[in-house]
Amino acid sequence: MRIPSSPIAAAILLLSTPVFADAFDEYAGNTSYTFNLPTITDGWSVALDGFPTTTEDVDGYELAGRLLVANDQTVYLQKNYGSSVYVPVATLSGGPMDPSFLAISPDGSTIALGVGYGAPLLVFPSSILSITSPPDLLSHVDVIELDVDYYDGAWYGNDALVINGGWIGHGGYTSGVYALDLTASPITEIPLITSIPGASAGIAVDSAGNLVTGIGHQTSPNRTGELRIWAAADIQDVIDGITSTYAYGGSEGSLLASNVLNAAALGFDEDDSLHVGGGDAFGVGGASENGYAALIRASVVASVVGGSQTPVNEASSSQYLEFVPDACEDDSTTSPIAFVGHTSALAIAWNPSGDEYSSPAGQCHSAGSASDYWDIGVTPKVTMYFPDGAPDSDGDGVPDGADNAYLTANANQRDTDGDGFGNIADADLDNDDDVDTDDYNILMASWNTQLGNPGYNQHADLDGDGSIDTADYNIYLARYGTSAPFY
């Protein structure tokens, strides 16, 4: 079986052509935007990914650039860019998830979901997702259930996955990496890398097919957060049976980083810079290995895999960048992380529990303490970072990926009814998903009133100028007869 590396590169470049030369220097200098993720009510963690450029939609809601999130018993779609509102698009009847990973294929057509410890790996087409009738993934005819070990997974083209199999599988207390060719019958595991010491780390594949994984936790000697990269040609030779499976060790793969967090979440942006998430909650790496996420510059990755450079120098701002989405810096993990190529957004999930649920509220734990653990009742957050040149379709200064009305300028992002659609585009005043005469009647009921007057309806003040007048009527009229979503 062959999973060619060159078509992978071609496919990814076709889907997300860079609009800027190198985003590495631009992330830190640009404004970030933070939104809520679905509250954890009956599980432990969340998994997420972002849809690439794709023509797929779910009941009229465009998928391109949207976040897909799994937690509890539900898979959610972000209702709109720039929104903390999520709509169920699939369910799992078997009970709450402890989701290990969620990965969307480069063309957006297929989704892989690691439901959790002891549960199957699910692979299914994005076309079965539905807002009006969310399917049960455990009984749907188009869902493939795979009884395999997994901790993290990444797409290797559109028809194959590479999996870090988890620390209790593939060799006892070791991790192992294998490939799954989803076009084969039956689908079988093809071992690639064996005997990775310690607990599992994430796994990622760049546009050339180079593979990164590492050690999530090892205390003696301390190798937590070690990352190694294997050249695409070497991985392909193992898949083709030309060379034998690699045994993780001092000479296997190229050492990319010695100690970065616990490498729980890995991925590449569209420049092929490597983002790293997680947190060394057990303290192996010291307090400095908590409360942030990292980015390793693409040129460093390329030099290491090419054999011409030593591992990344974390003291060098030209090689290594840290993101701190939570000012408290007390998160047990910054994970998951996803790069959303359609909107050029780097999305980092984090846990605000020490900020929002502590007593007194807003009290931080000490920086680097890893005291904010994921748990029931936590509403996780996602912070999205955008480089220069990120798409801004309406030119209002808010990148599309953070804009709740990305086709209608609204720099203030007003969404007074909290439905995920900015007021400037949302003339659906009764929230029935249609703009009709019922909404006209609501508008007229507060006609010619101003902010602070009796009868003033902030939702009907579509342009947010403090008055409900002809300008708001014209916005309503332009939207009359349309249905959600509203952009």
Side-chain angles (χ1 to χ4, degrees):
M1 185 276 293
R2 180 167 182 80
I3 308 172
S5 59
S6 54
I8 297 172
I12 294 177
L13 289 172
L14 246 151
L15 288 169
S16 53
T17 302
V19 293
F20 38 83
D22 187 350
F24 182 91
D25 293 321
E26 300 169 0
Y27 285 118
N30 282 266
T31 302
S32 60
Y33 300 81
T34 298
F35 310 103
N36 287 341
L37 291 169
T39 299
I40 298 172
T41 60
D42 196 18
W44 182 76
S45 62
V46 300
L48 65 81
D49 199 1
F51 279 95
T53 301
T54 176
T55 58
E56 299 267 0
D57 72 87
V58 171
D59 300 330
Y61 285 73
E62 303 167 355
L63 291 184
R66 301 291 184 86
L67 295 181
L68 192 69
V69 183
N71 78 353
D72 297 339
Q73 294 176 258
T74 309
V75 177
Y76 297 93
L77 178 68
Q78 187 182 28
K79 190 176 183 182
N80 194 11
Y81 299 146
S83 170
S84 294
V85 182
Y86 298 83
V87 290
V89 289
T91 63
L92 286 93
S93 59
M97 288 183 281
D98 175 14
S100 182
F101 77 94
L102 186 152
I104 301 170
S105 64
D107 65 1
S109 67
T110 314
I111 299 160
L113 174 60
V115 176
Y117 176 74
L121 170 64
L122 306 180
V123 180
F124 53 94
S126 55
S127 58
I128 71 171
L129 301 177
S130 175
I131 294 170
T132 57
S133 183
D136 179 0
L137 296 178
L138 297 181
S139 61
H140 197 284
V141 66
D142 291 328
V143 178
I144 300 171
E145 293 190 24
L146 298 170
D147 183 18
V148 295
D149 293 317
Y150 58 84
Y151 172 75
D152 193 20
W155 284 94
Y156 197 64
N158 294 306
D159 298 314
L161 290 162
V162 286
I163 306 289
N164 187 317
W167 63 269
I168 63 169
H170 298 274
Y173 191 73
T174 57
S175 300
V177 173
Y178 61 92
L180 290 172
D181 178 7
L182 300 177
T183 66
S185 182
I187 297 171
T188 56
E189 302 176 29
I190 305 170
L192 302 177
I193 303 165
T194 63
S195 303
I196 303 175
S200 304
I203 190 169
V205 178
D206 69 9
S207 65
N210 302 313
L211 185 152
V212 174
T213 192
I215 301 173
H217 178 70
Q218 186 185 35
T219 57
S220 182
N222 175 22
R223 296 173 70 184
T224 299
E226 177 181 298
L227 292 173
R228 290 183 177 271
I229 184 166
W230 281 259
D234 294 339
I235 293 297
Q236 191 63 59
D237 281 349
V238 178
I239 291 172
D240 291 340
I242 297 172
T243 59
S244 60
T245 302
Y246 290 104
Y248 192 100
S251 62
E252 301 294 346
S254 299
L255 182 63
L256 180 59
S258 295
N259 183 233
V260 180
L261 300 154
N262 70 343
L266 301 174
F268 287 95
D269 71 6
E270 64 188 332
D271 292 330
D272 279 338
S273 289
L274 177 70
H275 49 258
V276 185
D280 185 11
F282 298 102
V284 177
S288 63
E289 295 301 315
N290 295 303
Y292 68 92
L295 191 70
I296 299 174
R297 196 177 202 123
S299 59
V300 176
V301 177
S303 295
V304 170
V305 76
S308 61
Q309 180 168 315
T310 56
V312 63
N313 178 5
E314 294 181 40
S316 171
S317 60
S318 66
Q319 296 186 20
Y320 181 84
L321 176 66
E322 291 184 357
F323 299 88
V324 185
D326 180 1
C328 287
E329 299 184 56
D330 54 3
D331 302 297
S332 63
T333 181
T334 49
S335 176
I337 299 179
F339 180 75
V340 189
H342 183 74
T343 60
S344 300
L346 180 59
I348 301 174
W350 53 281
N351 176 0
S353 62
D355 314 328
E356 296 182 355
Y357 301 99
S358 59
S359 180
Q363 177 178 312
C364 293
H365 301 288
S366 59
S369 64
S371 296
D372 277 359
Y373 284 94
W374 299 75
D375 202 356
I376 292 174
V378 169
T379 300
K381 292 184 179 291
V382 60
T383 297
M384 308 186 81
Y385 297 85
F386 296 88
D388 297 338
D392 178 11
S393 297
D394 58 14
D396 62 1
V398 181
D400 286 354
D403 195 335
N404 62 16
Y406 80 102
L407 296 179
T408 310
N410 66 330
N412 60 21
Q413 295 290 287
R414 286 179 72 246
D415 176 18
T416 57
D417 62 2
D419 66 352
F421 300 122
N423 282 33
I424 195 68
D426 184 11
D428 176 23
L429 301 180
D430 61 0
N431 284 333
D432 67 352
D433 287 343
D434 295 304
V435 181
D436 51 26
T437 54
D438 292 334
D439 304 298
Y440 172 81
N441 293 334
I442 294 172
L443 181 68
M444 289 298 103
S446 57
W447 183 253
N448 207 27
T449 60
Q450 288 79 41
L451 179 65
N453 293 165
Y456 171 80
N457 182 346
Q458 62 176 341
H459 310 319
D461 185 4
L462 300 177
D463 63 2
D465 68 351
S467 298
I468 298 174
D469 51 25
T470 303
D472 301 298
Y473 172 74
N474 288 335
I475 294 171
Y476 160 80
L477 194 61
R479 301 281 175 170
Y480 180 78
T482 63
S483 300
F486 306 110
Y487 306 130

